[in-house]
Amino acid sequence: MYKTHTCGELRRAHIGQQVELAGWVHRRRDHGGITFVDLRDRFGLVQVVADPATSPQAHQKLEDVRNEWVIQVTGTVRSRPPGSENPHLATGEIEVETSEVRILNPAKTTPFSINKDEEVDENTRLRYRYLDLRREQMSRNILLRHRVVKFIRDFLNDHGFIEVETPILFKTTPEGARDYLVPSRLHPGEFYALPQSPQQLKQLLMVAGVERYFQIARCFRDEDQRGDRQPEFTQLDLEMSFVEREDVMALAEELFTKMVAEVTPHKRLFASPWPRFTYREVMERFGKDNPDLRYGLELKDVRDLVENSGFKVFEAALAQGGDVRALNAKGCADYTRKQIDELTEYARNFGAKGLAYIALPKDQEMRSTFAKFLTPESLEALMTRLEAEPGDLLLFVADRPAVVFETLARLRVLLAERLQLADPDVLAFCWVTDFPFVSWSEEEQRWDPSHHLFTSPMPEDIPLLDVDPGKARGQQYDMVLNNYEVGGGSIRIHDRQLQEKVFALIGLEPDVARERFGHLLEAFEYGTPPHGGIAPGIDRICMILAGEPNIREVIAFPKNQAARDVMGDAPSPVEPKQLEDLHIRVVPPKN
RNA sequence: GGUCCCGUGGUGUAGCGGCCAAACAUGCGGCCCUGUCAAGGCCGAGAUCGCGGGUUCGAAUCCCGUCGGGACCGCCA
């Protein structure tokens, strides 16, 4: 070993000990005579002192040393002179008086500073990710992620789960996201697909009698990137046999409640037990199925109060079966015309044709696009419903329900950001249940599963599949945290007939179903336990726990928005011979 | 496929039609300095302003295109 101790562990108790340390030069302070070096390793920082009077060789060696050089020092731990302790450092009461310095590897000047927390262009960070990861914030994030995964493994192990690996090379599936394909050398024209999730395999493990399975599973989806989406990402994939919805939810809730208490003790839960909402309720109140509960600004249905208002916009929407809903932007009555126009412009992105409003400035006249159409009584009723007070701004959207919900949900999030309503130290977990089993896809003219193909409908709603599928509910549950869906799960179908019925409902031809899922259907005929599970997204959860704005910050080597690894420069062209082996010919895109 | 934003020394920013072959901070190099911890002081090097074209007497600054990056829509069962 190059070191007897880590840099971060030395304390008063070590005073007098001779130690060897090795690490990176975090910072060097040369006083002409005495020289200080802050030596850093993953475990912390310690001050090394070289005094030319007592150890001229060591002092001489440190003359050349620069930031990020890797060195080894031999020295003695001693108390710092009174008054020169550094309370900001865990090791600040002591220092290491060095007698010997060995340079293990010099370093070029880094393209950005490691010892400072400053904004650096993300492309540069990614190109030199190995340097970026040295920085405190990133090393903290990577450590946090380790602790999250470690907690999960320990917890599930203690609860009788076993971790089973499933193949990365598997089979393409219809539905869902675009697959990453891997050409087969041995089978010309055939392809493996990387798993979008180990869904079928974990169900087969239930058939296999594993009963309690989990995996920290890498998943692959070839879709466009977002701040919370990468081409490859990590799920905690877990599945249990002989359980009902309640059992899986209880387990996941206990797991994550205990985990955040241990991993992020400075954060508090918004509520425990976690609030639960039906899909219907969460949409009515927040306009989206992954709400942020940390603030109010809830949506209110005002259809009954405006139906005969004489205001064309509202009446037209209602006449076409549309919706009129509103939210109260607390304290925003002083928004200027321009600011409201900006909100309106924002609303148009989501299909709204406009925004109606009532502004209630504290010491001025009410301003409104439509209040003049209302009787004093209905105006009063609106105010009451929206809990309006002087100083508030009431925003109304009238349109198709989907547009109304989405627009108001977006405005709610936008306004909360502007007003800084969300406490960053609060974790608002909640559950959303009772999703529609399927929804009608206009483009494809067929029913689409809300969750996935293997979700079981509510037992009492199975008859509805034949008569009114849109009314059936699925045994699905989503885990939501601070504006993000961080996990989804369901009780699965374990019966061949029901599974085939669902395939048929979503328009999967029987022969296609058999070709793609024959193994699963067949397995269901050999004694399959009722089972269900959940798949929380590790990246998103770590992102939120770390307080980061995107998941790249909690992934050691992420890809950029164009799905490119800018450090390794992947993807990249390959040798013609490789293509030949794979029976692949590249057809360049037109243009 | 689409919309929007960004691109100035190594890094982060300022400059937004002439005062700019470009300013500040930090980093980098040299010298001085024995108790600092974002050490300090002095000196110095370093960008033809992503690239190409255009407008103009004059472009870092305006316009068009292009490349790179980011946010979002579509997409993501």
Side-chain angles (χ1 to χ4, degrees):
Chain A
M1 280 295 286
Y2 283 77
K3 48 170 100 177
T4 57
H5 295 77
T6 65
C7 295
E9 73 179 292
L10 297 177
R11 296 291 184 276
R12 294 204 76 90
H14 297 91
I15 288 172
Q17 290 187 32
Q18 165 136 346
V19 297
E20 284 185 353
L21 299 175
W24 288 262
V25 173
H26 191 65
R27 198 173 271 122
R28 178 171 157 275
R29 291 178 294 282
D30 181 353
H31 286 239
I34 196 163
T35 297
F36 300 97
V37 163
D38 290 339
L39 191 66
R40 182 192 75 234
D41 64 15
R42 207 198 77 215
F43 305 92
L45 208 63
V46 70
Q47 174 165 284
V48 169
V49 196
D51 189 333
T54 54
S55 50
Q57 304 90 333
H59 181 264
Q60 183 59 41
K61 270 268 175 61
L62 289 181
E63 284 285 293
D64 301 330
V65 160
R66 292 294 180 270
N67 284 351
E68 299 308 310
W69 286 33
V70 178
I71 63 172
Q72 181 189 32
V73 305
T74 306
T76 310
V77 181
R78 71 180 186 195
S79 186
R80 290 197 185 194
S84 67
E85 301 87 355
N86 184 346
H88 304 296
L89 269 187
T91 59
E93 289 192 283
I94 56 94
E95 61 191 9
V96 175
E97 184 192 22
T98 181
S99 52
E100 208 185 318
V101 172
R102 255 177 80 203
I103 291 163
L104 301 178
N105 198 310
K108 296 206 288 188
T109 302
T110 52
F112 46 83
S113 32
I114 310 300
N115 58 23
K116 245 186 301 180
D117 182 26
E118 63 181 8
E119 281 289 306
V120 180
D121 172 61
E122 195 179 1
N123 202 30
T124 310
R125 291 176 55 203
L126 290 178
R127 176 167 281 125
Y128 299 96
R129 190 59 154 185
Y130 45 88
L131 297 179
D132 191 32
L133 292 171
R134 284 186 197 166
R135 307 204 307 164
E136 194 195 349
Q137 183 167 344
M138 288 308 292
S139 84
R140 209 188 320 129
N141 288 352
I142 297 300
L143 177 63
L144 170 82
R145 186 172 176 134
H146 161 74
R147 295 174 64 207
V148 164
V149 171
K150 171 76 162 62
F151 186 94
I152 289 170
R153 287 205 158 100
D154 290 344
F155 179 94
L156 291 175
N157 178 68
D158 292 345
H159 285 72
F161 286 78
I162 60 173
E163 185 165 9
V164 182
E165 292 179 80
T166 53
I168 293 295
L169 298 178
F170 199 53
K171 187 174 181 173
T172 185
T173 52
E175 294 293 304
R178 198 174 293 112
D179 284 319
Y180 276 100
L181 297 177
V182 179
S184 163
R185 175 179 58 86
L186 296 175
H187 305 280
E190 297 185 28
F191 297 82
Y192 301 97
L194 307 183
Q196 295 184 26
S197 88
Q199 181 61 35
Q200 297 172 53
L201 293 153
K202 70 174 172 178
Q203 290 191 243
L204 291 164
L205 286 171
M206 295 302 102
V207 184
V210 168
E211 292 205 29
R212 292 184 167 220
Y213 144 90
F214 81 100
Q215 181 178 194
I216 305 298
R218 194 64 61 85
C219 306
F220 305 86
R221 294 178 192 176
D222 187 4
E223 296 292 350
D224 287 350
Q225 310 307 294
R226 287 293 185 278
D228 61 351
R229 273 165 29 193
Q230 282 271 303
E232 49 180 310
F233 61 98
T234 305
Q235 272 179 186
L236 161 59
D237 193 51
L238 84 81
E239 197 76 6
M240 308 164 77
S241 292
F242 306 112
V243 290
E244 289 163 337
R245 192 162 74 149
E246 207 55 45
D247 303 304
V248 182
M249 291 166 74
L251 179 102
E253 186 165 332
E254 186 189 345
L255 165 58
F256 284 99
T257 299
K258 289 186 169 162
M259 183 185 80
V260 299
E262 178 166 315
V263 174
T264 52
H266 56 287
K267 304 224 176 204
R268 357 179 253 292
L269 287 184
F270 173 79
S272 187
W274 302 352
R276 291 188 181 196
F277 303 95
T278 62
Y279 174 80
R280 192 191 169 88
E281 183 184 3
V282 85
M283 291 302 288
E284 296 254 335
R285 290 177 58 183
F286 309 104
K288 65 203 289 251
D289 60 9
N290 52 354
D292 196 332
L293 303 182
R294 291 175 296 174
Y295 45 84
L297 307 186
E298 291 189 21
L299 280 49
K300 302 287 179 193
D301 186 348
V302 297
R303 278 177 293 189
D304 54 318
L305 303 180
V306 299
E307 58 188 344
N308 293 311
S309 59
F311 184 44
K312 278 205 309 280
V313 172
F314 289 173
E315 294 200 334
L318 291 175
Q320 290 162 34
D323 226 338
V324 184
R325 289 172 199 262
L327 69 76
N328 180 347
K330 278 283 176 198
C332 293
D334 55 351
Y335 266 36
T336 60
R337 179 58 193 268
K338 189 174 170 214
Q339 285 174 300
I340 292 176
D341 283 348
E342 278 167 16
L343 290 181
T344 308
E345 202 47 49
Y346 184 69
R348 285 190 219 280
N349 293 330
F350 311 106
K353 288 181 268 308
L355 268 187
Y357 65 90
I358 301 178
L360 303 161
K362 284 206 171 84
D363 304 312
Q364 297 165 45
E365 287 284 287
M366 173 177 85
R367 289 178 292 143
S368 175
T369 43
F370 69 99
K372 60 186 171 207
F373 292 101
L374 301 180
T375 62
E377 294 76 43
S378 13
L379 191 58
E380 191 57 40
L382 267 184
M383 304 274 205
T384 307
R385 179 154 313 163
L386 287 158
E387 292 160 26
E389 298 169 316
D392 292 350
L393 172 67
L394 314 179
L395 300 170
F396 297 77
V397 178
D399 214 301
R400 294 182 358 244
V403 169
V404 170
F405 284 131
E406 163 141 38
T407 306
L408 286 172
R410 298 281 192 159
L411 286 170
R412 179 173 177 268
V413 171
L414 179 76
L415 290 164
E417 266 169 31
R418 288 197 186 168
L419 300 168
Q420 301 193 323
L421 297 180
D423 183 337
D425 285 328
V426 169
L427 299 170
F429 281 101
C430 67
W431 290 107
V432 180
T433 63
D434 292 22
F435 284 81
F437 183 61
V438 288
S439 57
W440 182 252
S441 164
E442 275 303 324
E443 313 86 88
E444 311 202 37
Q445 288 293 304
R446 63 173 175 80
W447 294 101
D448 256 347
S450 300
H451 186 41
H452 59 50
L453 295 166
F454 314 107
T455 297
S456 176
M458 294 289 222
E460 63 269 32
D461 290 353
I462 291 177
L464 285 172
L465 298 186
D466 293 318
V467 292
D468 194 354
K471 285 252 162 53
R473 293 159 304 155
Q475 295 197 61
Q476 178 194 346
Y477 30 88
D478 272 7
M479 200 173 114
V480 174
L481 170 59
N482 296 5
N483 213 17
Y484 290 92
E485 184 204 319
V486 292
S490 63
I491 297 301
R492 327 296 184 187
I493 296 168
H494 65 282
D495 171 87
R496 178 169 184 151
Q497 274 68 46
L498 182 56
Q499 186 69 70
E500 285 181 326
K501 191 183 184 72
V502 170
F503 284 162
L505 174 65
I506 62 148
L508 210 57
E509 300 296 331
D511 51 330
V512 176
R514 218 156 299 135
E515 188 217 325
R516 297 297 182 201
F517 301 115
H519 51 289
L520 191 66
L521 293 171
E522 190 175 54
F524 284 171
E525 296 184 304
Y526 286 100
T528 300
H531 61 282
I534 191 166
I538 301 291
D539 311 276
R540 282 186 192 173
I541 288 168
C542 289
M543 167 185 83
I544 295 166
L545 295 184
E548 293 288 1
N550 68 65
I551 64 174
R552 296 186 297 276
E553 302 294 331
V554 295
I555 296 174
F557 299 103
K559 291 173 181 55
N560 71 6
Q561 194 163 54
R564 195 167 266 291
D565 183 320
V566 295
M567 186 185 65
D569 194 24
S572 58
V574 296
E575 294 301 320
K577 175 72 167 64
Q578 291 175 287
L579 291 178
E580 210 174 289
D581 283 351
L582 294 169
H583 326 286
I584 294 275
R585 190 177 304 137
V586 174
V587 181
K590 296 178 187 78
N591 302 327

